[in-house]
Amino acid sequence: MISQIFILSARGDIIINRDFRSDLVKNTHEVFYRQVKLSKGDCQPLFNIDGVNFSYLKRAGLYIVATSRFDNSPSFILEILNRVCTVIKDFCGVLSEEAIRKNFILIYELLDEMIDFGYPQLIQTEQVKPHIANEPIVIKKQTLPTTTTGRLGSLFNQGTVSSIATNRPVNSQSKKNEIFVDVFEKISVLFNASGYVINSSIEGCIQMKSYLNGNPPLKLALNEDLVIGKGENGRVVLDDCNFHDCVNTNEFDLSKTLRIQPPDGEFVVMNYRVTSEFQTPFRIYPVIEEISNFKLELHLKVKACFPKEIFASYVTLTFPMPKLASNITNELGKNASNQSVDIENKGDVKMVKWNIKKFMGDTEQVLITKITLQSSANSYSARKEIGPINVSFEVPMYNVSNLQIRFLRIDDKEKSNPFRWVRFITQSSSYVCRT
């Protein structure tokens, strides 16, 4: 049972505030924001203050918060908040502060239909849609990262549409007859100091957003060599997977084909996990040299292991420096372009942040960090304080699991030949190298 749902900006300004039961004080949003800001590091998603349970998600720089005096299931409340985010995004086209401010009447109407006196009622887009009277105000100018997309059957052709094409409301009057399929993979890798993989895993999903007229049935086919569980060498192996309720899996074991009755809005067709060995997108080779008793050098080489036709964007490497470092200088490798190195202070620790805007495949980049220690420092102890190295990145049109989409067929009785767009996106989840 939920008492309140409110949405705060990154500055703590209250944008949406819906009180369902009137059993809490009015300043709960101030209590919540104070707790978030006073927390060291990321605040835990669930906490209790003075008998009030707070649960929240952070999306697009916004805090979506639920409060209650009752002992609810934490996973249940977080799932409700996730559904609220999904429905708002489906109706507004994009989840952002500007979209929420311009569509606050619509969002209050959505919340009233979704939750009644604190009890969830209609929590899916197709359930809420028939009851909504307000039209969304579409946000035209959006500063979103662009990602290459291609038409199915010719994924690597130059004919593309902008990635913001999926940021249209599901009930938009200018509805085009098309469907978008995204294959997202988040990878976690831990390297030792020699650059060898200690453990690795992939968390992936196939996500769809349909703008098809009449929501016709779909037929989605994956790799024929796909194996769930233990497989032979050379085959695409998934440890486990699960499917959306709208997916019929009767043909999956035999032909790796899924039959889908798509609902309105964005939904996840399939979640999967991989823990078997795979080719990591980047290999990291750190070497620390002791120049003298008070001088250390870190030679950091990063190699891109994906094809040269592909590039990674938003590549950032961060690592801590010794606390007793008096001077830090950084040198980039020869012919380095679109790169920058900054030194940031986080408490009493200095962090080196290496940004690479565009990292081409089958290339390598080098950074040399020179460290001068204070006279009271011990070089052996200071050496241990360097690292670990954390890497974040995004690689469009590439997935490390080799999961592929063979075809996407649409049962369109009108034979209108709708457009089908597919994206492959690989992102880092926890990509760490020890030093």
Side-chain angles (χ1 to χ4, degrees), residues 5 7 16-18 20 84 88 106-116:
I5 285 184
I7 301 177
I16 298 292
N17 185 14
R18 186 67 178 91
F20 298 105
V84 168
I88 291 175
L106 171 62
I107 292 173
Y108 276 116
E109 185 181 13
L110 290 172
L111 291 175
D112 287 340
E113 294 294 342
M114 296 180 69
I115 301 173
D116 184 15

Side-chain angles (χ1 to χ4, degrees), residues 93-112:
V94 62
L95 185 64
S96 67
E97 181 176 347
E98 183 184 5
I100 291 176
R101 288 188 183 277
K102 290 189 175 182
N103 290 280
F104 71 95
I105 297 176
L106 171 62
I107 292 173
Y108 276 116
E109 185 181 13
L110 290 172
L111 291 175
D112 287 340

Side-chain angles (χ1 to χ4, degrees), residues 149-151 154-161 421:
T149 60
R151 191 170 181 177
S154 58
L155 295 179
F156 299 100
N157 287 351
Q158 295 300 315
T160 62
V161 294
W421 306 94

Side-chain angles (χ1 to χ4, degrees), residues 216-230:
L218 309 175
K219 190 174 182 180
L220 180 71
L222 305 178
N223 313 44
E224 291 183 336
D225 59 348
L226 185 65
V227 176
I228 308 299
K230 188 176 181 180

Side-chain angles (χ1 to χ4, degrees), residues 294-310:
F294 301 105
K295 287 187 178 182
L296 300 173
E297 282 190 4
L298 168 63
H299 292 253
L300 180 58
K301 182 173 74 172
V302 184
K303 183 177 181 180
C305 301
F306 44 87
K308 60 182 179 182
E309 297 83 10
I310 300 173

Side-chain angles (χ1 to χ4, degrees), residues 36-52:
V36 170
K37 286 303 176 184
L38 292 178
S39 298
K40 294 182 179 180
D42 294 332
C43 181
Q44 55 190 2
L46 305 131
F47 55 87
N48 182 289
I49 298 178
D50 296 331
V52 179

